[in-house]
mmCIF file of all heavy atoms in Angstrom:
data_model
loop_
_atom_site.group_PDB
_atom_site.id
_atom_site.type_symbol
_atom_site.label_atom_id
_atom_site.label_comp_id
_atom_site.label_asym_id
_atom_site.label_seq_id
_atom_site.Cartn_x
_atom_site.Cartn_y
_atom_site.Cartn_z
ATOM 1 N N MET L 1 -58.222 2.945 -17.897
ATOM 2 C CA MET L 1 -59.600 2.980 -18.356
ATOM 3 C C MET L 1 -60.175 1.578 -18.500
ATOM 4 O O MET L 1 -61.312 1.420 -18.872
ATOM 5 C CB MET L 1 -59.666 3.684 -19.714
ATOM 6 C CG MET L 1 -59.564 5.197 -19.594
ATOM 7 S SD MET L 1 -60.825 5.944 -18.554
ATOM 8 C CE MET L 1 -60.246 7.627 -18.508
ATOM 9 N N THR L 2 -59.345 0.575 -18.291
ATOM 10 C CA THR L 2 -59.845 -0.788 -18.429
ATOM 11 C C THR L 2 -60.790 -1.128 -17.295
ATOM 12 O O THR L 2 -61.662 -1.974 -17.441
ATOM 13 C CB THR L 2 -58.690 -1.794 -18.465
ATOM 14 O OG1 THR L 2 -57.792 -1.478 -17.432
ATOM 15 C CG2 THR L 2 -58.010 -1.778 -19.808
ATOM 16 N N ALA L 3 -60.624 -0.471 -16.172
ATOM 17 C CA ALA L 3 -61.456 -0.779 -15.014
ATOM 18 C C ALA L 3 -62.906 -0.428 -15.284
ATOM 19 O O ALA L 3 -63.812 -1.059 -14.761
ATOM 20 C CB ALA L 3 -60.944 -0.019 -13.800
ATOM 21 N N LEU L 4 -63.104 0.572 -16.131
ATOM 22 C CA LEU L 4 -64.465 0.990 -16.429
ATOM 23 C C LEU L 4 -65.171 -0.029 -17.315
ATOM 24 O O LEU L 4 -66.386 -0.109 -17.324
ATOM 25 C CB LEU L 4 -64.441 2.349 -17.145
ATOM 26 C CG LEU L 4 -64.023 3.520 -16.261
ATOM 27 C CD1 LEU L 4 -63.757 4.749 -17.111
ATOM 28 C CD2 LEU L 4 -65.112 3.828 -15.236
ATOM 29 N N ARG L 5 -64.407 -0.786 -18.055
ATOM 30 C CA ARG L 5 -65.020 -1.743 -18.982
ATOM 31 C C ARG L 5 -65.242 -3.098 -18.328
ATOM 32 O O ARG L 5 -65.812 -3.986 -18.925
ATOM 33 C CB ARG L 5 -64.121 -1.924 -20.212
ATOM 34 C CG ARG L 5 -64.026 -0.664 -21.039
ATOM 35 C CD ARG L 5 -63.370 -0.943 -22.365
ATOM 36 N NE ARG L 5 -64.120 -1.899 -23.151
ATOM 37 C CZ ARG L 5 -63.651 -2.473 -24.257
ATOM 38 N NH1 ARG L 5 -62.451 -2.192 -24.679
ATOM 39 N NH2 ARG L 5 -64.361 -3.340 -24.931
ATOM 40 N N ARG L 6 -64.753 -3.259 -17.132
ATOM 41 C CA ARG L 6 -64.910 -4.554 -16.464
ATOM 42 C C ARG L 6 -66.360 -4.820 -16.130
ATOM 43 O O ARG L 6 -67.055 -3.957 -15.612
ATOM 44 C CB ARG L 6 -64.087 -4.578 -15.181
ATOM 45 C CG ARG L 6 -62.720 -5.180 -15.414
ATOM 46 C CD ARG L 6 -61.894 -5.082 -14.161
ATOM 47 N NE ARG L 6 -62.456 -5.859 -13.065
ATOM 48 C CZ ARG L 6 -61.997 -5.791 -11.826
ATOM 49 N NH1 ARG L 6 -61.006 -5.003 -11.534
ATOM 50 N NH2 ARG L 6 -62.522 -6.508 -10.872
ATOM 51 N N THR L 7 -66.809 -6.014 -16.437
ATOM 52 C CA THR L 7 -68.179 -6.392 -16.093
ATOM 53 C C THR L 7 -68.130 -7.543 -15.105
ATOM 54 O O THR L 7 -67.941 -8.696 -15.471
ATOM 55 C CB THR L 7 -68.951 -6.818 -17.347
ATOM 56 O OG1 THR L 7 -68.162 -7.743 -18.073
ATOM 57 C CG2 THR L 7 -69.266 -5.625 -18.217
ATOM 58 N N VAL L 8 -68.240 -7.191 -13.851
ATOM 59 C CA VAL L 8 -68.182 -8.212 -12.815
ATOM 60 C C VAL L 8 -69.576 -8.507 -12.308
ATOM 61 O O VAL L 8 -70.239 -7.646 -11.738
ATOM 62 C CB VAL L 8 -67.285 -7.739 -11.647
ATOM 63 C CG1 VAL L 8 -67.219 -8.808 -10.572
ATOM 64 C CG2 VAL L 8 -65.900 -7.406 -12.168
ATOM 65 N N LYS L 9 -70.019 -9.723 -12.545
ATOM 66 C CA LYS L 9 -71.337 -10.120 -12.069
ATOM 67 C C LYS L 9 -71.181 -10.997 -10.828
ATOM 68 O O LYS L 9 -70.561 -12.056 -10.884
ATOM 69 C CB LYS L 9 -72.070 -10.907 -13.155
ATOM 70 C CG LYS L 9 -72.512 -10.022 -14.304
ATOM 71 C CD LYS L 9 -73.262 -10.845 -15.340
ATOM 72 C CE LYS L 9 -73.659 -9.977 -16.530
ATOM 73 N NZ LYS L 9 -74.304 -10.771 -17.572
ATOM 74 N N ILE L 10 -71.731 -10.535 -9.768
ATOM 75 C CA ILE L 10 -71.581 -11.274 -8.519
ATOM 76 C C ILE L 10 -72.687 -12.308 -8.370
ATOM 77 O O ILE L 10 -72.474 -13.444 -8.009
ATOM 78 C CB ILE L 10 -71.603 -10.300 -7.325
ATOM 79 C CG1 ILE L 10 -70.407 -9.352 -7.430
ATOM 80 C CG2 ILE L 10 -71.558 -11.074 -6.005
ATOM 81 C CD1 ILE L 10 -70.451 -8.209 -6.435
ATOM 82 N N ARG L 11 -73.919 -11.898 -8.703
ATOM 83 C CA ARG L 11 -75.058 -12.823 -8.545
ATOM 84 C C ARG L 11 -75.447 -13.463 -9.889
ATOM 85 O O ARG L 11 -76.028 -14.520 -9.916
ATOM 86 C CB ARG L 11 -76.259 -12.066 -7.978
ATOM 87 C CG ARG L 11 -76.045 -11.726 -6.506
ATOM 88 C CD ARG L 11 -77.275 -11.014 -5.955
ATOM 89 N NE ARG L 11 -76.946 -10.304 -4.718
ATOM 90 C CZ ARG L 11 -77.794 -9.570 -4.052
ATOM 91 N NH1 ARG L 11 -79.031 -9.408 -4.489
ATOM 92 N NH2 ARG L 11 -77.440 -8.962 -2.950
ATOM 93 N N GLY L 12 -75.165 -12.764 -10.986
ATOM 94 C CA GLY L 12 -75.557 -13.256 -12.301
ATOM 95 C C GLY L 12 -74.851 -14.544 -12.659
ATOM 96 O O GLY L 12 -75.449 -15.582 -12.848
ATOM 97 N N ALA L 13 -73.522 -14.494 -12.739
ATOM 98 C CA ALA L 13 -72.762 -15.675 -13.131
ATOM 99 C C ALA L 13 -71.535 -15.814 -12.230
ATOM 100 O O ALA L 13 -70.939 -14.821 -11.830
ATOM 101 C CB ALA L 13 -72.324 -15.544 -14.588
ATOM 102 N N PRO L 14 -71.170 -17.042 -11.909
ATOM 103 C CA PRO L 14 -69.977 -17.259 -11.089
ATOM 104 C C PRO L 14 -68.713 -16.873 -11.830
ATOM 105 O O PRO L 14 -68.630 -16.997 -13.049
ATOM 106 C CB PRO L 14 -70.005 -18.767 -10.809
ATOM 107 C CG PRO L 14 -70.825 -19.342 -11.905
ATOM 108 C CD PRO L 14 -71.833 -18.282 -12.276
ATOM 109 N N MET L 15 -67.727 -16.399 -11.113
ATOM 110 C CA MET L 15 -66.475 -15.983 -11.748
ATOM 111 C C MET L 15 -65.623 -17.214 -12.028
ATOM 112 O O MET L 15 -64.831 -17.653 -11.214
ATOM 113 C CB MET L 15 -65.736 -15.013 -10.828
ATOM 114 C CG MET L 15 -66.536 -13.724 -10.638
ATOM 115 S SD MET L 15 -65.840 -12.667 -9.372
ATOM 116 C CE MET L 15 -64.382 -12.088 -10.195
ATOM 117 N N GLN L 16 -65.799 -17.768 -13.218
ATOM 118 C CA GLN L 16 -65.121 -19.018 -13.553
ATOM 119 C C GLN L 16 -63.639 -18.807 -13.846
ATOM 120 O O GLN L 16 -62.820 -19.668 -13.597
ATOM 121 C CB GLN L 16 -65.793 -19.634 -14.777
ATOM 122 C CG GLN L 16 -67.262 -19.933 -14.529
ATOM 123 C CD GLN L 16 -67.983 -20.280 -15.811
ATOM 124 O OE1 GLN L 16 -67.491 -20.056 -16.896
ATOM 125 N NE2 GLN L 16 -69.174 -20.840 -15.673
ATOM 126 N N ALA L 17 -63.325 -17.652 -14.421
ATOM 127 C CA ALA L 17 -61.950 -17.415 -14.870
ATOM 128 C C ALA L 17 -61.071 -16.861 -13.753
ATOM 129 O O ALA L 17 -60.016 -16.324 -13.999
ATOM 130 C CB ALA L 17 -61.957 -16.461 -16.045
ATOM 131 N N LEU L 18 -61.508 -17.020 -12.537
ATOM 132 C CA LEU L 18 -60.751 -16.456 -11.425
ATOM 133 C C LEU L 18 -59.358 -17.084 -11.333
ATOM 134 O O LEU L 18 -58.362 -16.406 -11.108
ATOM 135 C CB LEU L 18 -61.506 -16.689 -10.114
ATOM 136 C CG LEU L 18 -60.999 -15.861 -8.943
ATOM 137 C CD1 LEU L 18 -61.350 -14.394 -9.147
ATOM 138 C CD2 LEU L 18 -61.607 -16.350 -7.642
ATOM 139 N N ASP L 19 -59.282 -18.389 -11.529
ATOM 140 C CA ASP L 19 -57.998 -19.078 -11.431
ATOM 141 C C ASP L 19 -57.032 -18.599 -12.511
ATOM 142 O O ASP L 19 -55.864 -18.434 -12.272
ATOM 143 C CB ASP L 19 -58.197 -20.590 -11.568
ATOM 144 C CG ASP L 19 -58.798 -21.180 -10.296
ATOM 145 O OD1 ASP L 19 -58.530 -20.603 -9.227
ATOM 146 O OD2 ASP L 19 -59.512 -22.166 -10.384
ATOM 147 N N LEU L 20 -57.592 -18.366 -13.691
ATOM 148 C CA LEU L 20 -56.749 -17.943 -14.804
ATOM 149 C C LEU L 20 -56.171 -16.557 -14.558
ATOM 150 O O LEU L 20 -55.122 -16.210 -15.066
ATOM 151 C CB LEU L 20 -57.563 -17.949 -16.097
ATOM 152 C CG LEU L 20 -57.921 -19.345 -16.612
ATOM 153 C CD1 LEU L 20 -58.925 -19.216 -17.748
ATOM 154 C CD2 LEU L 20 -56.679 -20.065 -17.112
ATOM 155 N N GLN L 21 -56.899 -15.764 -13.783
ATOM 156 C CA GLN L 21 -56.455 -14.399 -13.549
ATOM 157 C C GLN L 21 -55.479 -14.315 -12.389
ATOM 158 O O GLN L 21 -54.600 -13.461 -12.376
ATOM 159 C CB GLN L 21 -57.668 -13.511 -13.278
ATOM 160 C CG GLN L 21 -58.468 -13.253 -14.558
ATOM 161 C CD GLN L 21 -59.784 -12.571 -14.264
ATOM 162 O OE1 GLN L 21 -60.176 -12.455 -13.113
ATOM 163 N NE2 GLN L 21 -60.456 -12.119 -15.297
ATOM 164 N N THR L 22 -55.634 -15.197 -11.438
ATOM 165 C CA THR L 22 -54.764 -15.113 -10.267
ATOM 166 C C THR L 22 -53.500 -15.943 -10.450
ATOM 167 O O THR L 22 -52.449 -15.583 -9.946
ATOM 168 C CB THR L 22 -55.499 -15.595 -9.008
ATOM 169 O OG1 THR L 22 -56.147 -16.824 -9.315
ATOM 170 C CG2 THR L 22 -56.498 -14.568 -8.543
ATOM 171 N N ILE L 23 -53.621 -17.036 -11.203
ATOM 172 C CA ILE L 23 -52.456 -17.886 -11.424
ATOM 173 C C ILE L 23 -51.878 -17.609 -12.804
ATOM 174 O O ILE L 23 -52.582 -17.632 -13.802
ATOM 175 C CB ILE L 23 -52.836 -19.380 -11.313
ATOM 176 C CG1 ILE L 23 -53.502 -19.665 -9.971
ATOM 177 C CG2 ILE L 23 -51.608 -20.263 -11.524
ATOM 178 C CD1 ILE L 23 -52.606 -19.455 -8.763
ATOM 179 N N CYS L 24 -50.590 -17.382 -12.852
ATOM 180 C CA CYS L 24 -49.924 -17.117 -14.126
ATOM 181 C C CYS L 24 -49.917 -18.394 -14.971
ATOM 182 O O CYS L 24 -49.581 -19.465 -14.480
ATOM 183 C CB CYS L 24 -48.492 -16.657 -13.859
ATOM 184 S SG CYS L 24 -47.579 -16.328 -15.362
ATOM 185 N N ASP L 25 -50.309 -18.259 -16.245
ATOM 186 C CA ASP L 25 -50.374 -19.433 -17.107
ATOM 187 C C ASP L 25 -49.014 -19.784 -17.675
ATOM 188 O O ASP L 25 -48.856 -20.789 -18.354
ATOM 189 C CB ASP L 25 -51.384 -19.197 -18.235
ATOM 190 C CG ASP L 25 -50.998 -18.022 -19.108
ATOM 191 O OD1 ASP L 25 -50.511 -17.021 -18.551
ATOM 192 O OD2 ASP L 25 -51.174 -18.104 -20.328
ATOM 193 N N LYS L 26 -48.020 -18.976 -17.409
ATOM 194 C CA LYS L 26 -46.678 -19.244 -17.928
ATOM 195 C C LYS L 26 -45.815 -19.974 -16.902
ATOM 196 O O LYS L 26 -45.082 -20.882 -17.235
ATOM 197 C CB LYS L 26 -46.000 -17.938 -18.338
ATOM 198 C CG LYS L 26 -46.630 -17.297 -19.549
ATOM 199 C CD LYS L 26 -46.513 -18.208 -20.762
ATOM 200 C CE LYS L 26 -47.414 -17.712 -21.889
ATOM 201 N NZ LYS L 26 -47.706 -18.754 -22.858
ATOM 202 N N CYS L 27 -45.873 -19.543 -15.657
ATOM 203 C CA CYS L 27 -45.031 -20.174 -14.637
ATOM 204 C C CYS L 27 -45.870 -20.841 -13.549
ATOM 205 O O CYS L 27 -45.332 -21.389 -12.596
ATOM 206 C CB CYS L 27 -44.078 -19.147 -14.041
ATOM 207 S SG CYS L 27 -44.885 -17.780 -13.234
ATOM 208 N N ASP L 28 -47.192 -20.824 -13.709
ATOM 209 C CA ASP L 28 -48.098 -21.487 -12.770
ATOM 210 C C ASP L 28 -47.907 -21.025 -11.338
ATOM 211 O O ASP L 28 -48.042 -21.800 -10.403
ATOM 212 C CB ASP L 28 -47.927 -23.009 -12.860
ATOM 213 C CG ASP L 28 -48.514 -23.549 -14.162
ATOM 214 O OD1 ASP L 28 -49.484 -22.948 -14.644
ATOM 215 O OD2 ASP L 28 -47.990 -24.547 -14.673
ATOM 216 N N LYS L 29 -47.587 -19.754 -11.185
ATOM 217 C CA LYS L 29 -47.462 -19.201 -9.837
ATOM 218 C C LYS L 29 -48.414 -18.028 -9.681
ATOM 219 O O LYS L 29 -48.851 -17.438 -10.675
ATOM 220 C CB LYS L 29 -46.022 -18.739 -9.591
ATOM 221 C CG LYS L 29 -45.078 -19.906 -9.351
ATOM 222 C CD LYS L 29 -43.654 -19.403 -9.241
ATOM 223 C CE LYS L 29 -42.683 -20.585 -9.166
ATOM 224 N NZ LYS L 29 -41.287 -20.133 -9.232
ATOM 225 N N SER L 30 -48.697 -17.706 -8.456
ATOM 226 C CA SER L 30 -49.615 -16.607 -8.208
ATOM 227 C C SER L 30 -49.084 -15.316 -8.812
ATOM 228 O O SER L 30 -47.925 -14.976 -8.654
ATOM 229 C CB SER L 30 -49.810 -16.429 -6.702
ATOM 230 O OG SER L 30 -50.619 -15.296 -6.468
ATOM 231 N N ARG L 31 -49.954 -14.614 -9.502
ATOM 232 C CA ARG L 31 -49.536 -13.374 -10.137
ATOM 233 C C ARG L 31 -49.259 -12.295 -9.110
ATOM 234 O O ARG L 31 -48.609 -11.298 -9.415
ATOM 235 C CB ARG L 31 -50.641 -12.902 -11.091
ATOM 236 C CG ARG L 31 -50.649 -13.679 -12.389
ATOM 237 C CD ARG L 31 -51.542 -12.972 -13.387
ATOM 238 N NE ARG L 31 -51.600 -13.710 -14.644
ATOM 239 C CZ ARG L 31 -52.176 -13.240 -15.745
ATOM 240 N NH1 ARG L 31 -52.739 -12.073 -15.718
ATOM 241 N NH2 ARG L 31 -52.188 -13.941 -16.832
ATOM 242 N N ALA L 32 -49.781 -12.476 -7.908
ATOM 243 C CA ALA L 32 -49.577 -11.482 -6.872
ATOM 244 C C ALA L 32 -48.160 -11.573 -6.308
ATOM 245 O O ALA L 32 -47.671 -10.654 -5.674
ATOM 246 C CB ALA L 32 -50.599 -11.672 -5.762
ATOM 247 N N HIS L 33 -47.515 -12.727 -6.561
ATOM 248 C CA HIS L 33 -46.161 -12.907 -6.039
ATOM 249 C C HIS L 33 -45.170 -13.065 -7.185
ATOM 250 O O HIS L 33 -45.490 -13.660 -8.208
ATOM 251 C CB HIS L 33 -46.094 -14.155 -5.149
ATOM 252 C CG HIS L 33 -46.966 -14.029 -3.930
ATOM 253 N ND1 HIS L 33 -46.564 -13.389 -2.785
ATOM 254 C CD2 HIS L 33 -48.233 -14.452 -3.710
ATOM 255 C CE1 HIS L 33 -47.560 -13.426 -1.915
ATOM 256 N NE2 HIS L 33 -48.588 -14.067 -2.448
ATOM 257 N N GLY L 34 -43.992 -12.557 -6.983
ATOM 258 C CA GLY L 34 -42.938 -12.729 -7.964
ATOM 259 C C GLY L 34 -43.050 -11.750 -9.119
ATOM 260 O O GLY L 34 -43.970 -10.950 -9.193
ATOM 261 N N ASN L 35 -42.090 -11.844 -10.015
ATOM 262 C CA ASN L 35 -42.053 -10.956 -11.166
ATOM 263 C C ASN L 35 -42.530 -11.695 -12.413
ATOM 264 O O ASN L 35 -42.004 -12.756 -12.747
ATOM 265 C CB ASN L 35 -40.606 -10.474 -11.343
ATOM 266 C CG ASN L 35 -40.555 -9.257 -12.242
ATOM 267 O OD1 ASN L 35 -41.549 -8.914 -12.887
ATOM 268 N ND2 ASN L 35 -39.422 -8.610 -12.300
ATOM 269 N N HIS L 36 -43.492 -11.138 -13.075
ATOM 270 C CA HIS L 36 -44.048 -11.820 -14.245
ATOM 271 C C HIS L 36 -43.870 -10.996 -15.521
ATOM 272 O O HIS L 36 -44.622 -11.136 -16.463
ATOM 273 C CB HIS L 36 -45.527 -12.109 -14.018
ATOM 274 C CG HIS L 36 -45.766 -13.085 -12.909
ATOM 275 N ND1 HIS L 36 -45.640 -14.436 -13.060
ATOM 276 C CD2 HIS L 36 -46.093 -12.883 -11.612
ATOM 277 C CE1 HIS L 36 -45.899 -15.019 -11.901
ATOM 278 N NE2 HIS L 36 -46.162 -14.107 -11.008
ATOM 279 N N THR L 37 -42.874 -10.150 -15.491
ATOM 280 C CA THR L 37 -42.619 -9.347 -16.697
ATOM 281 C C THR L 37 -42.158 -10.247 -17.835
ATOM 282 O O THR L 37 -42.517 -10.041 -18.987
ATOM 283 C CB THR L 37 -41.544 -8.281 -16.426
ATOM 284 O OG1 THR L 37 -40.543 -8.829 -15.602
ATOM 285 C CG2 THR L 37 -42.148 -7.065 -15.765
ATOM 286 N N LYS L 38 -41.364 -11.272 -17.492
ATOM 287 C CA LYS L 38 -40.916 -12.224 -18.508
ATOM 288 C C LYS L 38 -42.099 -13.000 -19.063
ATOM 289 O O LYS L 38 -42.176 -13.275 -20.257
ATOM 290 C CB LYS L 38 -39.907 -13.211 -17.905
ATOM 291 C CG LYS L 38 -38.504 -12.640 -17.819
ATOM 292 C CD LYS L 38 -37.545 -13.711 -17.321
ATOM 293 C CE LYS L 38 -36.137 -13.142 -17.171
ATOM 294 N NZ LYS L 38 -35.206 -14.147 -16.633
ATOM 295 N N CYS L 39 -43.010 -13.355 -18.186
ATOM 296 C CA CYS L 39 -44.181 -14.124 -18.588
ATOM 297 C C CYS L 39 -45.039 -13.311 -19.551
ATOM 298 O O CYS L 39 -45.483 -13.814 -20.575
ATOM 299 C CB CYS L 39 -44.989 -14.494 -17.357
ATOM 300 S SG CYS L 39 -44.046 -15.450 -16.165
ATOM 301 N N SER L 40 -45.237 -12.043 -19.230
ATOM 302 C CA SER L 40 -46.070 -11.203 -20.087
ATOM 303 C C SER L 40 -45.383 -10.972 -21.424
ATOM 304 O O SER L 40 -46.025 -10.925 -22.475
ATOM 305 C CB SER L 40 -46.361 -9.868 -19.396
ATOM 306 O OG SER L 40 -45.166 -9.187 -19.119
ATOM 307 N N LYS L 41 -44.040 -10.844 -21.382
ATOM 308 C CA LYS L 41 -43.294 -10.668 -22.631
ATOM 309 C C LYS L 41 -43.365 -11.933 -23.466
ATOM 310 O O LYS L 41 -43.472 -11.884 -24.691
ATOM 311 C CB LYS L 41 -41.833 -10.323 -22.325
ATOM 312 C CG LYS L 41 -41.650 -8.840 -22.029
ATOM 313 C CD LYS L 41 -40.187 -8.501 -21.838
ATOM 314 C CE LYS L 41 -40.034 -7.008 -21.517
ATOM 315 N NZ LYS L 41 -38.622 -6.661 -21.264
ATOM 316 N N LEU L 42 -43.303 -13.073 -22.801
ATOM 317 C CA LEU L 42 -43.407 -14.356 -23.489
ATOM 318 C C LEU L 42 -44.767 -14.464 -24.160
ATOM 319 O O LEU L 42 -44.888 -14.891 -25.305
ATOM 320 C CB LEU L 42 -43.250 -15.475 -22.456
ATOM 321 C CG LEU L 42 -42.370 -16.647 -22.868
ATOM 322 C CD1 LEU L 42 -41.651 -17.230 -21.666
ATOM 323 C CD2 LEU L 42 -43.188 -17.731 -23.536
ATOM 324 N N ARG L 43 -45.772 -14.043 -23.434
ATOM 325 C CA ARG L 43 -47.126 -14.100 -23.962
ATOM 326 C C ARG L 43 -47.251 -13.180 -25.181
ATOM 327 O O ARG L 43 -47.889 -13.513 -26.168
ATOM 328 C CB ARG L 43 -48.109 -13.685 -22.880
ATOM 329 C CG ARG L 43 -49.486 -14.298 -23.079
ATOM 330 C CD ARG L 43 -50.369 -14.004 -21.875
ATOM 331 N NE ARG L 43 -49.882 -14.696 -20.687
ATOM 332 C CZ ARG L 43 -49.604 -14.086 -19.548
ATOM 333 N NH1 ARG L 43 -49.761 -12.797 -19.438
ATOM 334 N NH2 ARG L 43 -49.164 -14.769 -18.519
ATOM 335 N N GLN L 44 -46.638 -12.002 -25.081
ATOM 336 C CA GLN L 44 -46.680 -11.055 -26.194
ATOM 337 C C GLN L 44 -45.944 -11.618 -27.397
ATOM 338 O O GLN L 44 -46.379 -11.474 -28.536
ATOM 339 C CB GLN L 44 -46.046 -9.737 -25.770
ATOM 340 C CG GLN L 44 -47.021 -8.834 -25.011
ATOM 341 C CD GLN L 44 -46.427 -7.449 -24.810
ATOM 342 O OE1 GLN L 44 -45.213 -7.305 -24.688
ATOM 343 N NE2 GLN L 44 -47.264 -6.435 -24.766
ATOM 344 N N ALA L 45 -44.799 -12.260 -27.151
ATOM 345 C CA ALA L 45 -44.013 -12.840 -28.232
ATOM 346 C C ALA L 45 -44.806 -13.941 -28.932
ATOM 347 O O ALA L 45 -44.787 -14.051 -30.162
ATOM 348 C CB ALA L 45 -42.715 -13.400 -27.664
ATOM 349 N N GLU L 46 -45.506 -14.748 -28.148
ATOM 350 C CA GLU L 46 -46.313 -15.817 -28.733
ATOM 351 C C GLU L 46 -47.427 -15.236 -29.597
ATOM 352 O O GLU L 46 -47.711 -15.722 -30.682
ATOM 353 C CB GLU L 46 -46.914 -16.666 -27.623
ATOM 354 C CG GLU L 46 -45.934 -17.678 -27.078
ATOM 355 C CD GLU L 46 -46.579 -18.523 -25.981
ATOM 356 O OE1 GLU L 46 -47.798 -18.452 -25.802
ATOM 357 O OE2 GLU L 46 -45.822 -19.252 -25.318
ATOM 358 N N ALA L 47 -48.026 -14.170 -29.124
ATOM 359 C CA ALA L 47 -49.107 -13.513 -29.885
ATOM 360 C C ALA L 47 -48.550 -12.934 -31.180
ATOM 361 O O ALA L 47 -49.188 -13.015 -32.230
ATOM 362 C CB ALA L 47 -49.740 -12.422 -29.042
ATOM 363 N N ALA L 48 -47.353 -12.363 -31.109
ATOM 364 C CA ALA L 48 -46.740 -11.780 -32.309
ATOM 365 C C ALA L 48 -46.389 -12.877 -33.305
ATOM 366 O O ALA L 48 -46.576 -12.718 -34.508
ATOM 367 C CB ALA L 48 -45.487 -11.015 -31.897
ATOM 368 N N GLU L 49 -45.892 -14.009 -32.793
ATOM 369 C CA GLU L 49 -45.542 -15.134 -33.673
ATOM 370 C C GLU L 49 -46.790 -15.663 -34.366
ATOM 371 O O GLU L 49 -46.790 -15.932 -35.563
ATOM 372 C CB GLU L 49 -44.920 -16.260 -32.845
ATOM 373 C CG GLU L 49 -43.400 -16.252 -32.939
ATOM 374 C CD GLU L 49 -42.805 -17.411 -32.164
ATOM 375 O OE1 GLU L 49 -43.197 -18.555 -32.423
ATOM 376 O OE2 GLU L 49 -41.960 -17.160 -31.299
ATOM 377 N N ARG L 50 -47.860 -15.775 -33.589
ATOM 378 C CA ARG L 50 -49.099 -16.284 -34.142
ATOM 379 C C ARG L 50 -49.585 -15.365 -35.269
ATOM 380 O O ARG L 50 -50.133 -15.794 -36.268
ATOM 381 C CB ARG L 50 -50.164 -16.354 -33.034
ATOM 382 C CG ARG L 50 -50.894 -17.697 -33.020
ATOM 383 C CD ARG L 50 -51.724 -17.830 -31.757
ATOM 384 N NE ARG L 50 -50.900 -18.071 -30.565
ATOM 385 C CZ ARG L 50 -51.317 -17.837 -29.327
ATOM 386 N NH1 ARG L 50 -52.507 -17.352 -29.110
ATOM 387 N NH2 ARG L 50 -50.532 -18.093 -28.304
ATOM 388 N N ARG L 51 -49.352 -14.053 -35.053
ATOM 389 C CA ARG L 51 -49.793 -13.080 -36.049
ATOM 390 C C ARG L 51 -48.979 -13.242 -37.336
ATOM 391 O O ARG L 51 -49.460 -13.094 -38.438
ATOM 392 C CB ARG L 51 -49.616 -11.677 -35.485
ATOM 393 C CG ARG L 51 -50.737 -10.747 -35.911
ATOM 394 C CD ARG L 51 -50.622 -9.425 -35.181
ATOM 395 N NE ARG L 51 -50.926 -9.558 -33.767
ATOM 396 C CZ ARG L 51 -50.555 -8.659 -32.846
ATOM 397 N NH1 ARG L 51 -49.869 -7.617 -33.198
ATOM 398 N NH2 ARG L 51 -50.865 -8.832 -31.596
ATOM 399 N N LEU L 52 -47.680 -13.552 -37.156
ATOM 400 C CA LEU L 52 -46.797 -13.686 -38.322
ATOM 401 C C LEU L 52 -47.088 -14.966 -39.090
ATOM 402 O O LEU L 52 -46.930 -15.016 -40.308
ATOM 403 C CB LEU L 52 -45.340 -13.694 -37.842
ATOM 404 C CG LEU L 52 -44.789 -12.325 -37.429
ATOM 405 C CD1 LEU L 52 -43.436 -12.479 -36.755
ATOM 406 C CD2 LEU L 52 -44.670 -11.404 -38.635
ATOM 407 N N GLN L 53 -47.470 -15.998 -38.376
ATOM 408 C CA GLN L 53 -47.682 -17.289 -39.017
ATOM 409 C C GLN L 53 -48.951 -17.305 -39.871
ATOM 410 O O GLN L 53 -49.093 -18.132 -40.742
ATOM 411 C CB GLN L 53 -47.780 -18.389 -37.950
ATOM 412 C CG GLN L 53 -46.406 -18.783 -37.435
ATOM 413 C CD GLN L 53 -46.506 -19.714 -36.250
ATOM 414 O OE1 GLN L 53 -47.592 -20.082 -35.837
ATOM 415 N NE2 GLN L 53 -45.370 -20.095 -35.690
ATOM 416 N N LYS L 54 -49.852 -16.397 -39.604
ATOM 417 C CA LYS L 54 -51.116 -16.389 -40.324
ATOM 418 C C LYS L 54 -50.947 -16.140 -41.808
ATOM 419 O O LYS L 54 -50.157 -15.315 -42.186
ATOM 420 C CB LYS L 54 -52.056 -15.344 -39.746
ATOM 421 C CG LYS L 54 -53.163 -16.021 -38.945
ATOM 422 C CD LYS L 54 -54.233 -15.033 -38.519
ATOM 423 C CE LYS L 54 -55.353 -15.757 -37.778
ATOM 424 N NZ LYS L 54 -56.369 -14.813 -37.342
HETATM 425 ZN ZN1 LIG P 1 -45.519 -15.816 -14.395
#
């Protein structure tokens, strides 16, 4: 159901976050290639830690 909430503006505003979505911020590799389950788990762990530290 996330696809329905996506707001993609083609003419309104340029897609600035395209790089962030295609390139993994954990291993700096294309998300389309390789396995990023560890990266997503790492990201989740960081979010959980941040929640605990508050
Ligand atoms: Zn990755």
Side-chain angles (χ1 to χ4, degrees):
M1 283 302 173
T2 46
L4 290 168
R5 294 191 61 191
R6 266 175 64 189
T7 49
V8 180
K9 288 181 182 176
I10 297 171
R11 288 182 198 178
M15 296 171 72
Q16 300 169 346
L18 194 70
D19 285 331
L20 289 170
Q21 287 171 350
T22 47
I23 305 296
C24 179
D25 61 321
K26 291 298 167 200
C27 61
D28 288 329
K29 285 175 187 173
S30 175
R31 282 192 181 188
H33 297 277
N35 197 348
H36 294 280
T37 39
K38 279 185 182 177
C39 301
S40 60
K41 278 185 181 177
L42 223 147
R43 207 172 293 125
Q44 277 189 329
E46 279 181 11
E49 260 183 54
R50 228 169 287 159
R51 217 172 290 161
L52 285 170
Q53 281 172 1
K54 254 188 177 179

